[in-house]
């Protein structure tokens, strides 16, 4: 279980963040959440699809990092094997929490159980005079901005659902030298339903800026082949 | 041509509003309503709120009306129903050794395609029939839900129906009918019914809204049967010689706290002169004792129910309901059809009340005769269809009593052959030497499917003799495969399904997705 605590210079004066260039937290994840703002660039690397959170039933946008549970084809002890890593990987082990429910004020928190945090190696949270270091302030901005981006991503997904554009999709995969297998629980944008939208509905999507991410997700399905190649090279 | 352009429904409640919403949807098009639907509901007569259990068909009915499942469940305090659990029906318990069996909604095979019944019956019966062909009885014993929050609305990992608050359900349907399907709602008492020379209803008079004319009338006035019974004189046929219960006493039981488990099945427990229902909604339990006043007095009956509930029944209010079980000689006469209690009522043992309202509303919508000149043909079809469905329902309920080995006078009276329909005796005689088969269900509108009969027959330990003809059942290896598969599914589901209570909390918080 994560131990999420607000960062407090009195308590965490000596805390340091280890280097995490290879995003070690994702070593055993075959999916990672993505936000709608990065669909374009992420679609060059990963299939971008939708999945339900098993705990809430709510849809999330995710990038597929592997073809099987716990398989991350981009992780390597020597460094991340892709040209791009999703924003949520950069923010770990930090997150923003509302000061109180419904409030717009957020405070920076971290998972204190993360192996990336310690008092020996890495970048210090605070300098000798007890002020937060620049990198931490930048990280805080990135974390807060990710919260906003997540909100827009949720609106994007809601719009897809309202327009009946998502469909459940099973991926049947046959790799050389392996038995055929199926990835279930994925949802993708249905291109024929998109093409069948009325002019008014399409215009609404355009005005919300959702056309580009829709196509990014559609084209990103080609990246399945890339995953297959990486899988075979393993 | 004499075209029907207005329909008036007299009476609200589940029957009235479900019919109104369905008719409203059928006749709504882009330019408005092609047939005007009006519902007149008395502000003074309370609804009976009969039936807090549905059949799985309700999911389709609600989806067709465009109702969001999560909203429906939250609004009506609904919970998931996966079965009826019949406790102590087989025999009077001795030394407090209870017995039970399940009537489930899910089976591993479609019995019409491959009936596992005989293979189970010819086996060692070390597992119950229900456990042999379905995971659902175990799911119910564990109090689990039929799906997870990640399952789409109206879909299930196991088949399911609902337990719901019938009063709130009527309110929800009213909102949908009025706001979405343009049904006109008039709050008034009907004070008179006017006929034209040909005996058709021409209009109804109301106390506050004047005279209302229409080409067709739906009688949802409850036991009163104001249009079909009182006005058109269609007689009521009592079935008290077949189904002996005539009263119910009901008590609503609050949960001790909002963590108390919610049962996944309707629990029907046999007692000396009838049976109790126990239905767990999201916010309370509804319980009641259905009994025959010939065999027990009202005070003793109430005490039986309170004993069943336990110490928490202290101080809870009870409500006595007189049940007049039977049906009208016709349900449709000229330009009037009765739906709900105005048409028929049988004891709620198999949750048939709401189910038959749905069926009636569907047939009325699908077959609605816009041309009055040929209305009598639909009338004939409708009457034939529903007489069949009610008789089948009565036979099916009677079968539960008839197969019981309970000894009390009420139960013995139920086995008296004078009380058993010939149609039931004949089919049971057949099933004594043959498995239930699809050829016993040739009507597509059979209210209860083949599998339902097998759950009851085998659950009740009906003495079916197939041994002499064992060689006719030559697909045993396939049958064993299915039995094994059921074990695997049971294992998987018991590890992956949330409790009923846990899922209901998530439905409130997040809701189901539409896909």
């Amino acid at each position: 279980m994560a131990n999420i605590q607000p960062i407090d210079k009195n308590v965490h004066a000596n805390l340091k963040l280890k280097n995490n260039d290879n995003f070690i937290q994702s070593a055993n994840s075959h999916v990672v959440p993505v936000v709608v703002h990065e669909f374009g660039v992420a679609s060059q690397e990963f299939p971008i699809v939708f999945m339900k959170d098993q705990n809430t039933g709510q849809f999330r946008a995710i990038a597929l990092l592997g073809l099987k549970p716990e398989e991350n084809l981009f992780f390597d002890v020597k460094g991340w094997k892709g040209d791009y890593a999703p924003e949520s990987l950069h923010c770990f082990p930090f997150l923003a929490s509302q000061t109180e429910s419904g409030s717009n004020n957020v405070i920076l928190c971290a998972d204190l159980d993360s192996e990336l945090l310690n008092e020996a190696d890495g970048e210090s949270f605070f300098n000798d005079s007890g002020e937060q270091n620049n990198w931490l302030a930048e990280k805080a901005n990135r974390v807060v901005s990710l919260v906003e981006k997540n909100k827009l991503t949720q609106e994007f997904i809601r719009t897809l659902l309202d327009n009946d554009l998502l469909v459940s999709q099973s991926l049947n995969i046959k790799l050389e030298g392996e038995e055929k297998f199926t990835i279930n629980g994925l949802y993708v944008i249905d291109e024929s339903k998109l093409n069948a939208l009325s002019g008014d509905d399409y215009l609404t999507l355009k005005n919300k800026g959702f056309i580009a991410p829709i196509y990014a997700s559609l084209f990103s399905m080609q990246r399945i082949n890339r995953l297959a190649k990486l899988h075979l090279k393993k | 041509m004499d075209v029907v352009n207005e329909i008036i429904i007299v009476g609200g409640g589940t029957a009235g509003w479900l019919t109104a919403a369905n008719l409203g949807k059928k006749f709504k098009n882009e330019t408005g309503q092609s047939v005007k639907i009006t519902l007149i509901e008395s502000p003074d007569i309370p609804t009976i709120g009969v039936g807090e259990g549905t059949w799985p068909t309700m999911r389709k009915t609600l989806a067709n009306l465009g109702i969001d499942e999560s909203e429906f469940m939250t609004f009506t305090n609904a919970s998931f129903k996966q079965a009826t659990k019949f406790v102590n029906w087989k025999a009077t318990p001795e030394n407090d050794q209870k017995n039970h069996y399940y009537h489930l909604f899910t089976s591993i095979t479609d019995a019409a395609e491959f009936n596992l019944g005989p293979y189970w019956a010819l086996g060692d019966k070390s597992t119950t029939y229900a456990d042999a062909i379905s995971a659902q009885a175990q799911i119910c014993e564990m109090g689990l839900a039929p799906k997870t929050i990640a399952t789409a609305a109206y879909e299930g990992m196991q088949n399911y129906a609902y337990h719901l608050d019938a009063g709130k359900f009527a309110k929800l349907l009213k909102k949908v009918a009025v706001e979405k399907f343009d049904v006109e709602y008039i709050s008034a008492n009907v004070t008179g019914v006017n006929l034209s020379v040909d005996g058709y209803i021409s209009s109804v008079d109301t106390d506050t809204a004047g005279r209302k004319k229409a080409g067709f009338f739906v009688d949802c006035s409850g036991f009163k049967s104001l249009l079909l019974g009182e006005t058109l004189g269609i007689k009521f046929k009592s079935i008290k010689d077949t189904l002996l219960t005539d009263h119910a006493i009901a008590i609503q039981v609050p949960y001790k706290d909002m963590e108390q488990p919610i049962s996944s099945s309707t629990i029907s427990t046999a007692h000396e002169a009838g049976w109790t229902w126990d239905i767990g909604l999201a916010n309370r339990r509804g319980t009641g004792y259905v009994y025959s006043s010939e065999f027990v007095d009202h005070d003793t009956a109430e005490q039986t129910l309170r004993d069943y509930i336990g110490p928490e029944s202290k101080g809870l209010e009870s409500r006595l309901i007189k049940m007049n079980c039977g049906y009208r000689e016709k349900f449709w006469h000229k330009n009037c059809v009765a739906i709900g209690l105005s048409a028929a009522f049988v004891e709620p043992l198999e949750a048939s009340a709401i189910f038959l309202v749905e069926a009636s509303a569907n047939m009325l919508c699908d077959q609605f005769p816009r041309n009055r000149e040929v209305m009598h043909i639909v009338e004939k079809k409708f009457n034939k269809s529903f007489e069949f469905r009610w008789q089948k329902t009565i036979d099916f309920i009677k079968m539960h009593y008839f197969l019981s080995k309970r000894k009390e006078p009420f139960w013995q009276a139920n086995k008296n052959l004078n009380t058993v329909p010939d149609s039931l005796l004949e089919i049971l005689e057949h099933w004594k030497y043959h498995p239930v088969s699809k050829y016993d269900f040739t009507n597509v509108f059979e209210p209860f499917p083949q599998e339902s009969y097998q759950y009851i027959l085998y659950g009740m330990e009906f003495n079916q003799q197939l041994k002499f003809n064992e060689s006719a059942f030559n697909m045993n290896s396939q049958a064993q495969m299915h039995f094994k598969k059921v074990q695997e599914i049971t294992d998987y589901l018991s590890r992956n399904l949330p409790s009923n209570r846990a899922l209901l909390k998530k439905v409130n918080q997040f809701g189901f997705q539409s896909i």
Side-chain angles (χ1 to χ4, degrees):
Chain A
M1 275 304 277
N3 175 24
I4 311 289
Q5 298 290 340
I7 291 168
D8 179 342
K9 67 177 172 194
N10 298 316
V11 185
H12 306 123
N14 302 319
L15 212 53
K16 290 177 177 170
L17 177 71
K18 285 190 203 168
N19 177 296
N20 188 30
D21 286 347
N22 63 354
F23 307 109
I24 189 149
Q25 75 274 14
S26 71
N28 297 314
S29 308
H30 73 302
V31 298
V32 61
V34 284
V35 289
V36 71
H37 310 70
E38 59 186 340
F39 274 25
V41 52
S43 68
Q44 305 300 314
E45 303 262 350
F46 326 102
I48 295 173
V49 295
F50 304 87
M51 268 178 97
K52 283 182 185 174
D53 183 325
Q54 290 304 308
N55 221 3
T56 65
Q58 304 297 294
F59 278 102
R60 297 187 307 168
I62 54 117
L64 272 183
L65 304 176
L67 294 174
K68 294 185 168 174
E70 302 195 357
E71 174 186 74
N72 181 348
L73 297 164
F74 294 84
F75 175 77
D76 191 285
V77 279
K78 284 178 264 164
W80 187 253
K81 289 202 289 189
D83 291 331
Y84 181 78
E87 192 60 18
S88 62
L89 292 178
H90 290 279
C91 289
F92 186 83
F94 298 97
L95 56 119
S97 176
Q98 289 169 335
T99 47
E100 51 198 79
S101 137
S103 153
N104 277 329
N105 296 326
V106 291
I107 44 170
L108 186 66
C109 300
D111 177 6
L112 295 183
D113 283 353
S114 165
E115 288 170 14
L116 295 175
L117 299 182
N118 68 111
E119 298 199 345
D121 305 328
E123 307 263 8
S124 300
F125 278 32
F126 300 97
N127 63 21
D128 294 343
S129 36
E131 289 159 353
Q132 64 175 357
N133 278 318
N134 280 346
W135 73 266
L136 186 63
E138 278 165 26
K139 191 72 92 179
N141 284 338
R142 211 164 172 175
V143 169
V144 171
S145 133
L146 185 61
V147 172
E148 290 306 313
K149 289 173 177 172
N150 267 324
K151 278 187 196 155
L152 187 68
T153 306
Q154 280 307 312
E155 196 199 324
F156 174 71
I157 294 173
R158 235 186 341 269
T159 307
L160 295 180
L161 288 168
D162 290 347
N163 285 287
D164 196 22
L165 292 177
L166 283 187
V167 287
S168 161
Q169 172 96 59
S170 295
L171 294 178
N172 296 307
I173 296 181
K174 171 77 185 90
L175 298 170
E176 221 179 294
E178 286 191 35
E179 291 216 9
K180 208 161 83 177
F181 64 97
T182 307
I183 308 178
N184 288 315
L186 303 184
Y187 295 79
V188 298
I189 294 169
D190 185 328
E191 195 174 354
S192 57
K193 286 184 172 177
L194 180 69
N195 291 334
L197 280 186
S198 73
D200 284 353
D201 288 343
Y202 194 86
L203 195 61
T204 309
L205 292 179
K206 176 187 162 289
N207 290 340
K208 287 182 169 179
F210 288 164
I211 297 298
I214 285 174
Y215 278 98
S217 172
L218 281 171
F219 292 145
S220 77
M221 296 314 287
Q222 300 304 323
R223 302 289 100 75
I224 299 270
N225 296 326
R226 177 175 153 82
L227 293 189
K229 277 185 195 149
L230 285 169
H231 180 90
L232 288 173
K233 264 199 272 177
K234 253 199 332 183
Chain B
M1 201 189 293
D2 188 357
V3 177
V4 177
N5 288 318
E6 294 102 22
I7 302 172
I8 286 177
I9 300 164
V10 175
T14 309
W17 286 113
L18 190 68
T19 306
N22 273 295
L23 284 171
K25 173 163 193 282
K26 178 183 166 81
F27 291 116
K28 177 155 178 155
N29 53 38
E30 277 141 27
T31 53
Q33 285 291 8
S34 53
V35 176
K36 183 167 168 43
I37 319 285
T38 304
L39 189 147
I40 305 172
E41 187 176 31
S42 163
D44 307 322
I45 305 169
T47 55
I48 303 265
V50 40
E52 297 201 305
T54 77
W55 267 77
T57 48
M58 184 53 79
R59 280 151 56 200
K60 195 174 156 203
T61 298
L62 294 173
N64 279 343
L65 293 174
I67 296 173
D68 179 275
E69 184 178 32
S70 315
E71 279 173 34
F72 151 74
M73 293 197 73
T74 304
F75 192 91
T76 64
N77 289 315
S79 65
F80 304 100
K81 168 184 177 179
Q82 297 184 66
T84 302
K85 179 179 182 178
F86 289 97
V87 179
N88 294 340
W89 275 78
K90 261 188 276 189
T92 312
E94 279 168 27
N95 312 321
D96 272 351
Q97 288 288 308
K98 286 187 180 177
N99 57 75
H100 77 258
Y101 70 91
Y102 272 98
H103 175 189
L104 303 172
F105 291 150
T106 307
S107 319
I108 183 95
T109 59
D110 174 356
E113 299 296 324
F114 183 27
N115 186 5
L116 293 167
Y119 297 95
W120 174 83
L122 286 163
D124 64 6
K125 299 184 182 169
S126 55
T127 43
T128 64
Y129 174 67
D131 282 340
I133 70 152
S134 175
Q136 204 157 26
Q138 292 305 312
I139 300 302
C140 290
E141 286 292 291
M142 289 182 269
L144 300 182
K147 63 198 288 188
T148 78
I149 193 67
T151 316
Y154 294 122
E155 284 175 19
M157 294 161 82
Q158 296 282 286
N159 195 6
Y160 67 91
Y162 305 104
H163 290 140
L164 51 77
D165 180 327
K168 291 202 166 136
F169 185 43
K171 273 199 196 113
L172 176 71
L173 291 168
K174 175 179 182 172
K175 195 168 127 72
V176 170
V178 172
E179 289 174 13
K180 206 164 156 183
F181 300 123
D182 306 338
V183 171
E184 188 188 0
Y185 163 55
I186 296 174
S187 174
N189 288 297
V190 172
T191 51
V193 183
N194 308 302
L195 304 181
S196 51
V197 281
D198 56 5
Y200 281 57
I201 300 175
S202 57
S203 62
V204 291
D205 294 328
T206 67
D207 56 354
T208 54
R211 176 167 290 189
K212 294 284 164 192
K213 285 188 188 171
F216 193 83
F217 292 82
V218 186
D219 184 349
C220 297
S221 63
F223 285 126
K224 191 173 167 65
S225 196
L226 178 66
L227 306 187
L228 188 77
E230 286 192 7
T231 307
L232 298 175
I234 302 301
K235 288 200 176 60
F236 180 79
K237 272 200 325 212
S238 171
I239 52 165
K240 69 173 196 291
D241 296 338
T242 303
L243 295 174
L244 310 182
T245 59
D246 57 10
H247 282 81
I249 186 152
I251 296 180
Q252 295 185 355
V253 187
Y255 288 117
K256 289 189 201 94
D257 55 56
M258 277 313 175
E259 299 301 324
Q260 192 177 332
I262 299 173
S263 173
S264 312
S265 50
T266 298
I267 303 165
S268 162
T269 306
H271 299 277
E272 63 161 319
W275 56 276
T276 51
W277 75 78
D278 187 343
I279 286 179
L281 308 191
N283 62 329
R284 62 161 169 83
R285 283 158 66 202
T287 68
Y289 184 20
V290 175
Y291 59 93
S292 162
S293 60
E294 267 187 49
F295 293 88
V296 67
D297 62 74
H298 298 307
D299 289 344
T300 312
E302 177 163 349
Q303 196 51 51
T304 300
L305 180 60
R306 289 189 183 277
D307 290 346
Y308 169 81
I309 297 166
E312 54 199 290
S313 79
K314 202 167 172 231
L316 295 179
E317 217 173 285
S318 69
R319 185 164 70 122
L320 183 69
I321 303 155
K322 167 120 185 64
M323 298 193 314
N324 201 2
C325 295
Y327 54 93
R328 297 277 153 188
E329 281 175 353
K330 290 168 85 176
F331 309 105
W332 187 317
H333 184 65
K334 297 187 189 276
N335 63 339
C336 173
V337 67
I339 294 180
L341 297 173
S342 52
F345 180 71
V346 303
E347 60 181 85
L349 186 63
E350 285 286 4
S352 46
I354 295 179
F355 169 60
L356 282 160
V357 165
E358 280 175 271
S360 307
N362 286 342
M363 184 163 180
L364 177 64
C365 285
D366 290 344
Q367 296 274 300
F368 192 83
R370 286 294 297 279
N371 180 357
R372 223 168 93 150
E373 288 151 29
V374 292
M375 195 176 273
H376 61 278
I377 301 169
V378 181
E379 168 184 333
K380 215 166 28 178
K381 282 202 284 183
F382 189 97
N383 286 331
K384 192 176 164 201
S385 181
F386 277 89
E387 180 160 358
F388 170 81
R389 297 192 223 205
W390 280 105
Q391 279 176 356
K392 280 286 180 177
T393 302
I394 293 159
D395 278 16
F396 185 61
I397 291 174
K398 181 66 178 180
M399 188 172 90
H400 296 63
Y401 288 105
F402 183 65
L403 297 177
S404 174
K405 295 174 186 74
R406 290 188 70 106
K407 294 277 192 296
E408 299 93 328
F410 166 79
W411 294 86
Q412 288 303 312
N414 258 303
K415 290 171 79 82
N416 183 334
L417 289 183
N418 294 332
T419 72
V420 189
D422 290 343
S423 47
L424 178 62
L425 288 173
E426 183 180 295
I427 196 70
L428 286 175
E429 194 60 21
H430 177 68
W431 288 336
K432 216 166 154 183
Y433 305 103
H434 305 87
V436 182
S437 88
K438 61 182 170 187
Y439 300 103
D440 302 319
F441 301 85
T442 48
N443 190 313
V444 293
F445 294 114
E446 284 282 348
F448 298 96
Q450 178 178 347
E451 204 54 271
S452 290
Y453 284 81
Q454 298 204 130
Y455 279 122
I456 310 306
L457 289 168
Y458 293 137
M460 282 286 205
E461 293 169 10
F462 173 67
N463 182 21
Q464 191 176 59
Q465 299 157 36
L466 302 175
K467 199 81 188 162
F468 74 100
N469 192 23
E470 189 167 6
S471 59
F473 305 102
N474 55 8
M475 287 171 64
N476 193 38
S477 57
Q478 287 96 320
Q480 296 306 323
M481 251 169 48
H482 286 297
F483 293 149
K484 195 163 159 271
K485 184 93 190 145
V486 169
Q487 298 310 312
E488 288 165 21
I489 295 172
T490 306
D491 185 49
Y492 174 81
L493 291 177
S494 58
R495 282 183 286 112
N496 287 284
L497 288 172
S499 75
N500 246 355
R501 171 73 77 187
L503 182 56
L504 287 175
K505 280 187 185 167
K506 287 195 175 172
V507 171
N508 273 318
Q509 198 181 346
F510 304 109
F512 292 119
Q513 299 289 338
S514 56
I515 56 169

